C-alpha cells in the first residue's frame, strides 16, 4: 500500500509542481545578474546568490521578510524598492545607474523593475501578483566610458598646448 501511495504521489500534480519550482529556482540562482522577487505586499519571495552578495545579507535574513522592514536597516534595499513604494515615481523615466560597493570593489548597476500580472479568466482584467527587480551589471561600460573620456581629455590637452604656444608666438 505504501509503495502504491508513493507511486501515486510521484505522478501527482504536486510532484510536478515541486519539480517545476526547483527548476525555476535553479534558473534564477544561475543568473549572473542580481535578481530579487517580491509579492504584491512587498514580501521578499526569492533572491539569487548574486543579489545576496550585492546586498550583503544571508538568505535567511531577507527571504520571507517584508521589504519595508528590510529597508529600515539596508540603504540599498530602500533604494531598490523606492519606486514600488512611491506611486508618483512610477513614470518610466531613465534612472541613473546605482553605485554599489560589494566584494571589495565598486560596481555600477542598472535597475529594472518588472511588474508581474496575471489575467483572470472570468474577469479579463489583470491582477498584480508581484514584482521582480533585476540589477544589470554595467561596471565594464562605465569603466570604458571613463577611459574614453580621459583619453579624449588627454589628447585634447596635448593638441591645445602646442597650438596655444604657436598662437601666442604669432600674436607677438
Amino acid at each position: 500500500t505504501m509503495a502504491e501511495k508513493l507511486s501515486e504521489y510521484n505522478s501527482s500534480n504536486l510532484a510536478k509542481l515541486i519539480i517545476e519550482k526547483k527548476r525555476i529556482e535553479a534558473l534564477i540562482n544561475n543568473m549572473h545578474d542580481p535578481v530579487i522577487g517580491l509579492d504584491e505586499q512587498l514580501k521578499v519571495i526569492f533572491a539569487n546568490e548574486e543579489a545576496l552578495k550585492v546586498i550583503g545579507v544571508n538568505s535567511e535574513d531577507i527571504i520571507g521578510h517584508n521589504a519595508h522592514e528590510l529597508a529600515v536597516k539596508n540603504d540599498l534595499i530602500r533604494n531598490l524598492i523606492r519606486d514600488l513604494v512611491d506611486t508618483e515615481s512610477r513614470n518610466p523615466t531613465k534612472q541613473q545607474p546605482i553605485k554599489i560597493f560589494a566584494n571589495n570593489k565598486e560596481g555600477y548597476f542598472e535597475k529594472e523593475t518588472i511588474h508581474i500580472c496575471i489575467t483572470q479568466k472570468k474577469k479579463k482584467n489583470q491582477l498584480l501578483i508581484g514584482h521582480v527587480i533585476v540589477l544589470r551589471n554595467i561596471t565594464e561600460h562605465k569603466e570604458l566610458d571613463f577611459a574614453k573620456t580621459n583619453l579624449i581629455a588627454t589628447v585634447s590637452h596635448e593638441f591645445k598646448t602646442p597650438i596655444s604656444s604657436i598662437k601666442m608666438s604669432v600674436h607677438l
Side-chain angles (χ1 to χ4, degrees), residues 138-166:
I138 59 168
T139 305
E140 284 185 29
H141 299 293
K142 279 292 206 181
E143 289 171 350
L144 288 173
D145 187 47
F146 182 70
K148 176 192 74 166
T149 304
N150 280 346
L151 176 71
I152 291 171
T154 304
V155 169
S156 174
H157 175 71
E158 292 300 323
F159 278 136
K160 281 182 183 177
T161 304
I163 291 174
S164 295
S165 61
I166 292 171

Side-chain angles (χ1 to χ4, degrees), residues 42-57:
L42 299 182
K43 186 173 87 174
V44 179
I45 302 170
F46 62 84
N48 68 355
E49 293 297 321
E50 288 295 318
L52 297 175
K53 286 180 195 173
V54 168
I55 296 171
V57 294

Side-chain angles (χ1 to χ4, degrees), residues 22-82:
K22 288 184 179 185
R23 183 184 319 215
I24 291 171
E25 287 174 350
L27 285 170
I28 290 170
N29 278 327
N30 286 317
M31 291 181 71
H32 295 292
D33 293 331
V35 179
I36 302 168
L38 306 163
D39 67 4
E40 65 277 6
Q41 278 85 34
L42 299 182
K43 186 173 87 174
V44 179
I45 302 170
F46 62 84
N48 68 355
E49 293 297 321
E50 288 295 318
L52 297 175
K53 286 180 195 173
V54 168
I55 296 171
V57 294
N58 297 326
S59 62
E60 307 86 44
D61 298 335
I62 191 171
I63 296 175
H65 293 86
N66 192 299
H68 294 291
E69 297 168 6
L70 297 169
V72 172
K73 302 173 196 169
N74 192 310
D75 290 335
L76 179 57
I77 294 175
R78 184 178 320 117
N79 192 8
L80 293 177
I81 67 164
R82 181 176 297 139

Side-chain angles (χ1 to χ4, degrees), residues 8-9 20 56 59 67 80 82 92 94 109 117 122 125 136 159 171:
E8 188 178 304
Y9 169 78
E20 290 302 318
S59 62
L80 293 177
R82 181 176 297 139
K94 182 72 174 165
F109 293 86
C117 298
K122 295 177 184 176
N125 61 340
R136 287 196 183 82
F159 278 136
H171 181 66

Side-chain angles (χ1 to χ4, degrees), residues 54-55 76 80 98-102 105-109 135:
V54 168
I55 296 171
L76 179 57
L80 293 177
I98 300 169
K99 186 179 186 179
I100 300 172
F101 188 80
K105 61 182 179 178
E106 197 174 74
Y108 292 90
F109 293 86
L135 297 175

